[in-house]
Amino acid sequence: MKRPNNITSGRRMLKCRSKSMYALLVTILVLQLCLLFMVNNNNKHLEQLNKLEGNEYIIDEKGYKPSKPKVNEHSDVKHGVGLRDGLKDSTTPSSESETTAIYLQAEKVNISDEEINSFPLTLDTKLKFLRHLEPVLFSTDLGPESDSVCPIPQVPPPSGLCRNVKWKCNFSPTFVYHDRENRKLFVNCSGNFRVNFIDREESEVPNQNGKFTKDPEWNVYHGPQTIDFDSQYADIECKMEENGRVVSSPHNYRTQFLPNNKSTDQKILFKKTKSEESDWEPLSILSISLDSLSRAHFHRKCGIPKTAKFIRKLFYAPKFDNATDASDQPSHQAFLFNRVNSISGITAMNLYPLYAGEYFSRIDEEERVLRHALVKPVDEWLWQYANKRGYLTSYGIDTGNGLMGTRTTCKECTNRPGALPHFEHLWVARENTPIGTTRNTEVLSGLCEGDSMLHDYVINYTREFLDYDFPAKWAAFDLNAQHRAEHESINQVDDSIVQFLKTVTENHRNLVIFVFGDHGQIYEGEAGKHLGSHLEVLLPFLSIIVPRHVIKSHPEWELNLLLNSRRYVVFYDLHKTMKSLLHYPNLHDVRGHLHNASFNLFTDIIPRNRSCASAGIPSWSCACNMPQVLPSNVWTDVHYGYVSNAIQEINNKHSKATLDERNPGKKATPTTCKDINLENITNIIAYRHGENPKGEEMNQYKITFTAYEGPSTWQLMVDSQGGIINSIKQLSRYQKYDFCQDPRVSIEFCICNQFPPGTP
């Protein structure tokens, strides 16, 4: 065997090693270049997101508008260039970035005019379009880029807006177990217990007992025992004893849906509608109002991040169209909207346009508060329209009172959940009570009713209503957790809402869901002076979740919804849209009252140049007027004069002359309401809305001021042209005056007691 030449072998090894080292050096160099490119590209992406510059393309009626609905011929669309892909989600608040979104930025993707105009869109183009829109729809920015002429300034929120909070209901032990399938209650109470099956729904006028609720009728049992549950409401009180002495009497409450005889009448109307409209394919509708939830706050980590994550998954539903396993295909697709403008921060001023298609004025609002009832006549409520077409209808409110903070129930609804005694049993006084801390996280009671969260009662009822075997249902419910001053309060509904949405989208393939805030919320405490606080009030959240089979059958609607997602939207549009869906697939057959400035978000493309005035939004509530905080050194006697006039108007509401006028021929008794006096002006926001014929600037001023009496905090909206007062409302919580209120005066304007400084 020939001995190997060591020199030759060594040269070969050296040559081989040299090649390996060379390859390694090349690899390192390529990696460095790639890293440099990624950093540079990311910096450019951030610059582009900040500049929000877009590519223009023209909307063409050919192809994707076969039914030729209303389109403004000047409605050119400008799209931004930002895109995020491959995003990571987080659903727990972080002290490092407490108000940021739960989404991370990624590389941008552009989409050309030609691609958008090549209708119908290919799947690849559709996904590019979704990624193109995602940064400005899933954003905590107050003013993300839009396709409208409604500019919103970029205003970062103040620091410390949200805390790390957990929620728990532990004021009452759980001793009742509800068998929903068999409608039984197992009461694990060792002694005597009693049950009232008459719910706490209020009436507009006192009953024979002089109260607004019926007297409870208590049935006494000895436990432990299983009892029948044949009503929609049960209040179970257990007498807990020690050594023969009652030490506590905790309550558990249980609610459930029960069908009634109105179902038979609605079946007759349903068959009649079906016989007259043979191609009608009834969709069920669900309307979820999350009181005081702004669009920006929805996406924050202290908003409802689990729900946001689920809705984002539905936003990308087309991505799963080609999935081999049908179970991987979402049944619904979510659409979001980033330029919804509410009217003020008052619930009724926004739910009236939504459910009646009508404006609710300042005078209407004062009457609502004074009478604790909805007295403004309407042409037709949306649920009445649904009733006529043979729908079952339901409307629930978690706090137990009637519609829009009154004693007026949804009288025309075929079904209503049992009302809970949130105020009657003083659970309202325990809202968000601190319980303790866990790992640097504050634990609060939340809005509890007995052993459960308040919102769970109405959610469970609505789920059972939707499960009821009937082909057409319209349901709505209002949750009021975010109506609290604490900005993270909405977080307590997150787990329940996301689970509810997952369940109903899986079980009801013909259900369209509207999830929205009626308005936003002002920031708590000193942060309320922040400009963002005033903007958030006017910019509520909105998402519409639509069955995929509806979208696949009408791809033009999908494109319209995506185009409208960055257009200027108002609640009149939601009224028309929701009403038209009751005629699916013939949305243009909608009849009855419709606001003359409204658009259908499915069949119409909202003009890019739509203004507040053209949409029916008063200038004093227009979010597009680029508000500015006026520093105190420019406040003048004119501004103080506006406040003086407002205080005079407040005091006039309980003056002897006013009360005499309301009771002609009778001598008015003295009032408990006190005159208020100015303590300080704390904030002035100017909203510019044009120039008068003389070229003078016209402004709406939002002035926040405090009064010694109460003490109380007030907000005034006044027009600089003539000093016309458009709105006055008390920002401090005025329900605390319920015990001393003069019934002749709206409780909001009756300061009848003096509380310690700092009282909310």
Side-chain angles (χ1 to χ4, degrees), residues 102-174:
I102 60 172
Y103 321 102
L104 302 178
Q105 293 184 353
E107 185 182 357
K108 73 179 181 69
V109 171
N110 292 323
I111 187 166
S112 68
D113 304 350
E114 184 178 357
E115 288 176 290
I116 294 297
N117 285 312
S118 60
F119 185 84
L121 303 180
T122 66
L123 179 59
D124 287 343
T125 301
K126 191 183 301 181
L127 291 177
K128 285 181 69 176
F129 197 13
L130 293 176
R131 292 167 184 156
H132 186 73
L133 294 172
E134 189 269 340
V136 295
L137 297 181
F138 291 81
S139 169
T140 60
D141 293 343
L142 285 181
E145 178 265 346
S146 76
D147 288 341
S148 72
V149 293
C150 178
I152 305 293
Q154 291 288 2
V155 182
S159 61
L161 193 62
C162 302
R163 302 165 291 174
N164 291 339
V165 173
K166 288 186 178 180
W167 309 93
K168 189 176 182 180
C169 286
N170 69 344
F171 288 120
S172 179
T174 298

Side-chain angles (χ1 to χ4, degrees), residues 176-323:
V176 177
Y177 302 89
H178 185 184
D179 180 352
R180 292 183 176 274
E181 183 177 352
N182 297 304
R183 294 176 184 162
K184 303 282 187 181
L185 296 176
F186 172 65
V187 183
N188 187 22
C189 183
S190 58
N192 288 334
F193 66 90
R194 60 179 188 169
V195 183
N196 169 47
F197 295 106
I198 297 177
D199 75 75
R200 315 317 296 153
E201 183 176 272
E202 294 182 305
S203 59
E204 291 181 344
V205 296
N207 297 304
Q208 291 182 349
N209 61 5
K211 303 176 183 178
F212 292 98
T213 56
K214 297 178 181 178
D215 290 327
E217 295 180 6
W218 295 103
N219 301 275
V220 180
Y221 305 85
H222 187 78
Q225 187 178 157
T226 298
I227 61 175
D228 293 332
F229 188 16
D230 297 325
S231 65
Q232 293 197 147
Y233 169 85
D235 172 10
I236 308 96
E237 182 185 27
C238 178
K239 302 289 185 182
M240 295 191 173
E241 300 181 355
E242 289 183 5
N243 300 322
R245 183 172 60 89
V246 176
V247 293
S248 63
S249 301
H251 289 254
N252 280 186
Y253 308 92
R254 297 297 180 260
T255 59
Q256 64 183 358
F257 165 75
L258 287 181
N260 55 43
N261 54 16
K262 293 182 181 179
S263 299
T264 303
D265 297 334
Q266 293 308 108
K267 283 180 181 178
I268 295 172
L269 289 173
F270 177 86
K271 290 179 180 179
K272 179 176 181 292
T273 304
K274 187 65 177 173
S275 66
E276 295 171 350
E277 304 171 21
S278 58
D279 57 347
W280 180 41
E281 301 173 21
L283 296 172
S284 289
I285 307 294
L286 172 61
S287 179
I288 302 175
S289 173
L290 302 175
D291 194 288
S292 304
L293 182 61
S294 71
R295 186 203 54 75
H297 195 60
F298 174 88
H299 295 289
R300 293 184 182 129
K301 291 180 179 178
C302 62
I304 45 178
K306 296 175 184 177
T307 304
K309 181 179 179 181
F310 176 67
I311 286 181
R312 183 178 173 276
K313 178 182 178 182
L314 297 185
F315 176 76
Y316 281 109
K319 180 179 179 181
F320 303 94
D321 279 354
N322 293 332

